[in-house]
Amino acid sequence: MSQSKQQANQYDKIFRENMEAVLPSIVKHLLKLDIVESEELPDDLQHTKERKPDLLKKVKDASDKIYVLHVEYQTKNEADMVFRMAEYSVMLQRRYRLPVKQYVVFIGSAKVTMATAFATEDHQFQYNLVAFSSVDYKIFLKSDKTEEKILARYSPLVYFRRCS
């Protein structure tokens, strides 16, 4: 390790050790927050996370906009889907430095109950959700491609007719 790197690490260590004593002053005067109670939280957020999107493409649309298209397929409602999609969004934007358009295609038979957005005072996030059940199966039946015709089989309307 270089000498300047060692000095920087030493400075960081000293600064961190003394932060607790000066924190109330920093919070009050620099951050301008009126904190009445606090609780220590673990500050090691290092977390190895590997995500493998279901579909990921760099695309250019008809209006010449270039972006990352990210699609996830879901068969069940996932309570934390909005947070999972937010993680994907940040990771993809950081890596590709492009806008990201995200879609969850819900192919389950249950009613969709997943949240598609959240907002806090300092952060907003939203993704697009398409329920396969809301798509008219006839669109797929009209296709010339066998692979697309097969999709009609998974429409709830077709499934309901088969079971009746």
Side-chain angles (χ1 to χ4, degrees), residues 87-137:
E87 288 173 349
Y88 272 125
S89 181
V90 170
M91 292 168 75
L92 292 168
Q93 289 180 64
R94 183 175 186 183
R95 180 168 184 184
Y96 296 108
R97 306 290 180 186
L98 288 170
V100 176
K101 286 195 179 206
Q102 295 180 290
Y103 296 84
V104 169
V105 177
F106 186 76
I107 55 178
S109 58
K111 181 182 177 191
V112 180
T113 59
M114 293 181 286
T116 59
F118 69 85
T120 65
E121 185 177 345
D122 295 326
H123 187 85
Q124 293 182 35
F125 175 77
Q126 179 177 339
Y127 70 90
N128 301 286
L129 177 64
V130 178
F132 199 81
S133 62
S134 68
V135 178
D136 185 357
Y137 70 94

Side-chain angles (χ1 to χ4, degrees), residues 15-102:
F15 187 79
R16 282 183 180 262
E17 287 172 355
N18 290 302
M19 277 304 296
E20 196 62 37
V22 297
L23 183 61
S25 182
I26 288 175
V27 167
K28 182 177 181 180
H29 300 296
L30 294 179
L31 307 181
K32 304 210 183 301
L33 298 173
D34 187 16
I35 305 295
V36 295
E37 185 177 319
S38 70
E39 175 184 340
E40 196 71 31
L41 294 174
D43 58 3
D44 184 5
L45 295 178
Q46 189 170 2
H47 181 75
T48 302
K49 182 172 293 235
E50 183 175 323
R51 291 280 190 202
K52 181 136 176 83
D54 292 338
L55 181 142
L56 191 62
K57 303 274 184 192
K58 179 180 173 182
V59 300
K60 181 177 178 180
D61 68 15
S63 60
D64 288 337
K65 292 180 183 167
I66 297 172
Y67 56 89
V68 173
L69 174 63
H70 169 218
V71 179
E72 289 294 313
Y73 299 102
Q74 276 297 117
T75 57
K76 295 179 182 167
N77 285 294
E78 184 179 317
D80 285 342
M81 192 65 178
V82 69
F83 298 112
R84 188 170 130 206
M85 293 301 282
E87 288 173 349
Y88 272 125
S89 181
V90 170
M91 292 168 75
L92 292 168
Q93 289 180 64
R94 183 175 186 183
R95 180 168 184 184
Y96 296 108
R97 306 290 180 186
L98 288 170
V100 176
K101 286 195 179 206
Q102 295 180 290

